[in-house]
Amino acid sequence: MRAPRARYFNTTGPCDRRHHYMVPPAQRLPQARVLIEMDRYFVLHAPRQTGKTTALDTLASELTAEGDTAALLFSCERAKTAGDDVAWAESLLLDSLREAAERTGWPEELLPPEPWPQVTPGSRFGSALSEWCRRCPRRVVLFLDEIDALQGNSLVSILSQLRDGHNARHKGHAFPASVVLCGLRDLRDYKVASGGEAGRSNPASPFNIVAESLRLSDFTADQIAELYGQHTQATGQEFTKDAIDRVFELTQGQPWLVNALAHEITFKMGVTGAITAGQVEEAKERLIRARATHLDALVARLYEPRVERVIEPIVAGTWPGTDTSFDDDVSYVHDLGLIRGTRDLEIANPIYREVLLRVLGDRTERFVKADPRSFVLPDGRFDLVRLLQEFVVFWREHGEVLIQQEGYHEAACQIILMAFLHRLVNGGGHLDREYAAGTKRLDVLIRWPYPGPDGERRMQREAMELKVWRAGKDDPLPDGLAQLDRYLDRLTLTTGVLVIFDRRPEAPPWKERGTFEQAITPPGRHVTVLRA
């Protein structure tokens, strides 16, 4: 008899509990079953690769197994090619629905009718669902996955047919008891697509009756521990508590990242023995350098105008726009999974935060010719003073051109310095960055391991605060010293560096920029100020 296959951490496609470690979907989506039992139509949305399809597939199987429901998940992705051709979109959707039903192994009486009713295009989808529900001995629940694939008139038509069928149910009209639209976008986007205005109730949308649309949550720290515990139970290999804590800190529970880090460690790195926080750190670096498909898909969005409008003030630390169109952009970027929420604008997690700055700084890195090894002192420590001096030379020579070329113009200075640091620090050390909209600063921590006199590994830490002096504003030095002092206090460091970029029209000529001075923070710390 063939031995069962070993399970593993999945990073591609839906999970299968027979082959993959997985968090029970019901834990992540408790409200969905309640709404289905109430015969509601609703939206489930979340960024890509967060487990939407897995959760709905599991829920459909559980509902069907209970005996009074025929719950079916099918994908709308094939209908993307139809565009505005409603008849073609209906045909593709019904083909996908039938094929999904046939794959379930259901008895004949539960399957959709063959052939579908032949009616006028624009009503075929609704008529087909109605005929199936009329014949099926169970209540029908339908999950439309990848609903985002439908576009233009096709989307409007499908939503309108769902609305008509939903509204006719109280008259005894046979139609699915519950319909769930699953995709990337939130409720308001479907209202817009079906002819309404963002944020306003639209009678042409079947979803104006829904009190809420559900967002699939990221993993909690406990769920990460449970997921990794499945690997420990199966193999005996333990993730230490520090490792699990570090994974949660780096990912904030983003499901693909949680699985990808574990897969990198257990499979690609081939780690044996207990898994440590240091190995999590190494796996993070490997993932970022490899620019996995998931990360590349996010990066590809960065230069979309809607995304740039939101991400630029986050990187620059400036206050974002206040018009209603900006609110819509924020919702869109949140739906993509790039930011944590829609109120306090922050990048979703430290890994995304690092990836974004690395990608935005790619052009600058090509200009950096200095040898990273030349910044290592004889005792193995990192020579921050020399690096800053080298940056001044680089800034005077390339800064003006790079600022003009940088698409994220308001955040150009921060992006350029980050790229310079990354080119020279990463490989031997690590860069931790903190930034958010409205903070008027970007915090940087350089962590550099080196051997101590006793041979034990030690960690050099150097903190920097980045600020920009903008036109019509006061010198940011006082605020910068106070902010840097709070940052140093949090890190328990005695000194640091404040970098002030001068973007005013009256700023000194480029060849005169890059002066160093010593300053004292309000509580009395001695720090270095670089005016660039």
Side-chain angles (χ1 to χ4, degrees):
M1 185 175 178
R2 185 178 176 183
R5 287 168 50 186
R7 291 196 297 166
Y8 57 92
F9 292 101
N10 183 33
T11 59
T12 57
C15 289
D16 182 333
R17 67 176 71 250
R18 297 170 300 172
H19 308 310
H20 307 132
Y21 304 124
M22 56 184 286
V23 173
Q27 291 184 15
R28 305 180 60 205
L29 209 56
Q31 299 157 288
R33 176 178 277 270
V34 174
L35 290 172
I36 290 169
E37 289 173 352
M38 294 170 62
D39 292 344
R40 301 301 298 269
Y41 285 26
F42 61 96
V43 172
L44 170 68
H45 72 103
R48 298 202 182 282
Q49 295 186 296
T50 53
K52 298 186 297 294
T53 301
T54 297
L56 292 183
D57 190 40
T58 303
L59 183 55
S61 297
E62 291 174 352
L63 288 168
T64 302
E66 291 169 6
D68 64 346
T69 299
L72 182 68
L73 169 70
F74 77 98
S75 175
C76 303
E77 191 166 14
R78 194 183 300 175
K80 184 173 185 177
T81 56
D84 284 324
D85 189 330
V86 174
W88 190 15
E90 288 179 310
S91 179
L92 292 170
L93 286 178
L94 291 174
D95 285 348
S96 294
L97 188 155
R98 184 185 302 284
E99 290 170 16
E102 290 172 349
R103 286 194 297 268
T104 62
W106 288 350
E108 186 73 26
E109 66 267 18
L110 298 185
L111 294 176
E114 176 72 53
W116 296 113
Q118 298 301 307
V119 296
T120 306
S123 60
R124 283 187 65 206
F125 187 71
S127 295
L129 295 184
S130 180
E131 181 64 17
W132 179 25
C133 293
R134 187 180 67 79
R135 297 189 186 190
C136 185
R138 301 185 183 185
R139 66 193 285 269
V140 173
V141 172
L142 210 53
F143 300 95
L144 280 71
D145 198 11
E146 301 289 349
I147 186 67
D148 310 87
L150 289 172
Q151 299 174 17
N153 291 336
S154 297
L155 176 60
V156 172
S157 176
I158 297 303
L159 293 185
S160 297
Q161 291 178 65
L162 290 174
R163 176 205 64 209
D164 291 344
H166 170 275
N167 291 343
R169 290 182 310 167
H170 72 282
K171 301 175 182 177
H173 180 68
F175 211 67
S178 179
V179 172
V180 183
L181 294 190
C182 181
L184 182 70
R185 295 178 292 174
D186 199 353
L187 172 63
R188 73 163 58 195
D189 295 286
Y190 297 107
K191 287 184 176 181
V192 172
S194 59
E197 297 181 53
R200 297 187 181 181
S201 178
N202 172 25
S205 167
F207 304 102
N208 63 331
I209 61 168
V210 178
E212 60 179 326
S213 63
L214 305 184
R215 181 181 172 94
L216 189 63
S217 61
D218 289 331
F219 294 157
T220 64
D222 287 342
Q223 287 172 336
I224 295 175
E226 178 184 352
L227 179 71
Y228 287 3
Q230 294 173 22
H231 175 78
T232 301
Q233 194 170 26
T235 66
Q237 184 179 40
E238 180 187 4
F239 284 81
T240 65
K241 185 180 184 305
D242 285 348
I244 294 172
D245 289 346
R246 185 59 177 156
V247 167
F248 182 69
E249 182 182 353
L250 289 172
T251 67
Q252 293 299 297
Q254 204 287 331
W256 185 89
L257 291 176
V258 170
N259 277 279
L261 286 173
H263 179 69
E264 192 76 26
I265 294 167
T266 59
F267 182 72
K268 293 188 176 180
M269 290 166 55
V271 171
T272 58
I275 293 165
T276 66
Q279 288 158 340
V280 170
E281 197 75 36
E282 182 183 349
K284 177 208 76 171
E285 284 298 319
R286 289 166 59 104
L287 270 185
I288 293 174
R289 285 198 300 269
R291 195 76 64 77
T293 304
H294 171 86
L295 298 177
D296 250 2
L298 288 177
V299 163
R301 303 276 191 172
L302 284 180
Y303 289 101
E304 290 182 18
R306 297 180 72 183
V307 175
E308 188 171 332
R309 284 188 68 200
V310 176
I311 300 298
E312 185 173 37
I314 294 176
V315 178
T318 54
W319 291 108
T322 55
D323 58 280
T324 54
S325 66
F326 182 78
D327 292 340
D328 292 338
D329 293 341
V330 169
S331 294
Y332 174 69
V333 176
H334 182 235
D335 287 344
L336 291 177
L338 282 168
I339 58 176
R340 188 172 298 175
T342 57
R343 292 178 63 85
D344 299 324
L345 299 185
E346 298 180 59
I347 301 301
N349 57 67
I351 291 180
Y352 286 1
R353 199 158 59 211
E354 187 162 343
V355 168
L356 297 190
L357 278 179
R358 288 196 192 185
V359 170
L360 293 174
D362 275 348
R363 183 186 293 114
T364 295
E365 278 200 54
R366 292 195 288 269
F367 284 81
V368 182
K369 304 302 181 185
D371 183 356
R373 292 170 297 183
S374 65
F375 297 93
V376 182
L377 295 166
D379 64 357
R381 292 169 63 88
F382 187 75
D383 192 344
L384 180 63
V385 173
R386 181 159 177 232
L387 179 139
L388 293 174
Q389 291 170 342
E390 194 72 30
F391 176 72
V392 168
V393 175
F394 177 85
W395 184 244
R396 288 171 176 173
E397 183 176 354
H398 302 294
E400 187 173 16
V401 172
L402 289 172
I403 284 177
Q404 291 170 353
Q405 291 179 350
E406 176 54 54
Y408 279 60
H409 189 69
E410 288 297 307
C413 298
Q414 295 93 325
I415 291 169
I416 292 167
L417 178 53
M418 286 298 94
F420 187 87
L421 290 174
H422 174 254
R423 174 71 179 83
L424 299 178
V425 173
N426 269 49
H430 306 282
L431 286 176
D432 297 330
R433 310 154 174 95
E434 296 181 20
Y435 53 90
T439 59
K440 300 182 181 179
R441 71 182 192 277
L442 190 153
D443 298 332
V444 185
L445 176 65
I446 299 173
R447 293 182 291 122
W448 185 270
Y450 69 98
D454 51 6
E456 291 188 7
R457 183 183 179 190
R458 299 190 179 185
M459 188 67 71
Q460 175 186 356
R461 297 186 304 152
E462 304 285 357
M464 303 173 66
E465 183 107 7
L466 279 56
K467 293 186 71 67
V468 177
W469 191 351
R470 302 189 185 277
K473 302 296 182 181
D474 293 333
D475 186 347
L477 177 64
D479 285 345
L481 290 174
Q483 290 169 337
L484 175 59
D485 192 87
R486 289 194 293 270
Y487 188 43
L488 294 173
D489 208 40
R490 183 152 54 90
L491 297 171
T492 64
L493 293 175
T494 58
T495 189
V497 178
L498 173 63
V499 181
I500 298 176
F501 292 99
D502 197 338
R503 295 293 301 272
R504 300 172 303 150
E506 62 269 29
W510 278 93
K511 290 187 178 180
E512 296 177 14
R513 299 190 193 188
T515 59
F516 292 91
E517 59 191 69
Q518 297 302 306
I520 301 176
T521 68
R525 281 188 174 93
H526 290 261
V527 298
T528 299
V529 177
L530 167 58
R531 291 188 178 272

